[in-house]
Amino acid sequence: MEDNEKRFEQDIESFLTSERGGYREGDQKTYDLEKAIDMDKLVSFISSSQPKEWERQVKRDGEEATKKLYKCLQTNIDNEGLIYVLRHGIIDRGIKFKLVYFRPETALNEEVIKQYNSNILTCTRQFRYSTQNTNTIDMILSLNGIPIIALELKNQLKGQSIDNAKSQFMYDRNPKELIFGFNNRILVYFAVDLYEVAMTTQLKGRNTYFLPFNQGSNGAGEIGGAGNPIGDGEGYATSYLWEKVLQKDALLDILQRFIHL
């Protein structure tokens, strides 16, 4: 039973951190709990994808380069929102930085392919998010050091379901924490079990409103009832979430084209 309970999370992580999934296995060694960001990873992305701009930043600000970058980034997020900043980048006193490179329209330009591949997507299990307590979130997906997706994963083999995941988000997560700020860090919260998925974009305590994120009983695009198709015994009924929605290319396309405030 114990192995089966852990296997659900492990299988999701295993797919996401595979070549097909496109993520790296994450850790929190350089994650800043107070700032709710991993600036080391963001700087690593910027310095590899935009070396000339980062060289100018370091030449100008020296040891303060990362601190100044964060201040500019957070000011822009506070003013414009994370979605806008991810799509348009920031300008730090005349130096423009992109925070993500989206998939190019053509594969003919080697430079833009290289920039796209420089994105650092990480999948981190049991993510500690607070300076106030030692609570953890089952899984966080981050883009270039910025946490953008939260998942609470529940397993019926443990007597739990998405209702337990919803309750965690509603009652155990303080919406005032920076990481939970609306359009500031995490953009979507998924409650997931073996059979169903629900989602919300904003935590409001007991007033948090979840929407079903299922395919329907006969599959996506087919007439049917609620829920998801019952599988044939192989895989999970909810595997479409990480295989088709959270997979690197799919997620970046969603961020670029389909998320609207």
Side-chain angles (χ1 to χ4, degrees):
M1 180 70 75
E2 182 76 18
D3 289 342
N4 286 333
E5 290 170 3
K6 292 181 179 179
R7 182 181 168 189
F8 185 43
E9 289 185 30
Q10 292 172 343
D11 285 349
I12 296 173
E13 180 188 45
S14 179
F15 172 83
L16 289 174
T17 56
S18 69
E19 183 176 352
R20 181 182 169 195
Y23 290 73
R24 304 179 188 180
E25 184 177 345
D27 61 59
Q28 292 191 256
K29 293 178 181 177
T30 53
Y31 181 78
D32 190 319
L33 290 169
E34 292 186 356
K35 293 182 173 65
I37 194 170
D38 189 328
M39 286 301 297
D40 279 24
K41 286 187 175 61
L42 180 59
V43 169
S44 177
F45 159 73
I46 288 176
S47 61
S48 64
S49 63
Q50 302 149 82
K52 292 181 180 178
E53 289 81 357
W54 183 245
E55 185 178 348
R56 286 177 59 197
Q57 181 91 346
V58 172
K59 185 176 181 180
R60 180 182 63 192
D61 298 326
E63 295 181 356
E64 296 282 295
T66 298
K67 181 179 178 180
K68 298 285 188 181
L69 177 69
Y70 171 77
K71 182 178 180 181
C72 177
L73 169 63
Q74 192 57 52
T75 298
N76 276 264
I77 292 176
D78 290 338
N79 291 337
E80 304 289 349
L82 180 59
I83 296 170
Y84 181 92
V85 169
L86 288 175
R87 288 175 176 166
H88 298 278
I90 60 175
I91 300 176
D92 188 0
R93 293 159 294 153
I95 306 174
K96 184 170 184 178
F97 295 107
K98 287 184 176 292
L99 303 180
V100 54
Y101 277 96
F102 294 109
R103 185 158 52 168
E105 300 293 334
T106 173
L108 297 178
N109 189 321
E110 292 185 6
E111 181 61 25
V112 295
I113 294 296
K114 180 180 177 182
Q115 290 171 329
Y116 178 69
N117 290 332
S118 69
N119 288 312
I120 303 172
L121 286 92
T122 55
C123 169
T124 310
R125 290 172 61 190
Q126 298 306 313
F127 191 96
R128 185 185 168 198
Y129 62 86
S130 178
T131 60
Q132 308 299 316
N133 55 59
T134 58
N135 290 349
T136 61
I137 296 172
D138 286 338
M139 188 174 289
I140 288 287
L141 306 183
S142 300
L143 172 60
N144 298 324
I146 306 170
I148 58 170
I149 308 287
L151 300 99
E152 289 292 354
L153 307 169
K154 303 304 171 188
N155 193 326
Q156 276 79 358
L157 294 174
K158 199 176 179 181
Q160 296 186 323
S161 70
I162 61 170
D163 290 332
N164 299 95
K166 291 178 184 178
S167 293
Q168 272 191 303
F169 282 132
M170 294 169 72
Y171 301 109
D172 297 339
R173 311 296 180 227
N174 183 355
K176 293 181 180 179
E177 297 257 13
L178 177 58
I179 191 172
F180 302 134
F182 180 64
N183 198 19
N184 202 306
R185 291 294 188 274
I186 294 175
L187 297 174
V188 62
Y189 306 82
F190 287 108
V192 189
D193 65 23
L194 301 179
Y195 305 107
E196 293 192 72
V197 180
M199 58 81 70
T200 186
T201 56
Q202 186 174 12
L203 298 187
K204 297 181 179 180
R206 67 178 62 189
N207 295 318
T208 301
Y209 185 73
F210 283 89
L211 291 169
F213 199 77
N214 299 314
Q215 300 183 98
S217 60
N218 289 326
E222 301 296 332
I223 297 175
N228 288 300
I230 298 176
D232 56 7
E234 296 184 8
Y236 302 102
T238 50
S239 61
Y240 62 90
L241 176 64
W242 52 93
E243 292 181 359
K244 297 181 179 180
V245 178
L246 301 180
Q247 187 272 343
K248 172 188 173 180
D249 297 329
L251 178 62
L252 289 177
D253 280 348
I254 291 170
L255 286 174
Q256 181 184 21
R257 305 172 191 276
F258 299 111
I259 291 183
H260 299 285
L261 191 63

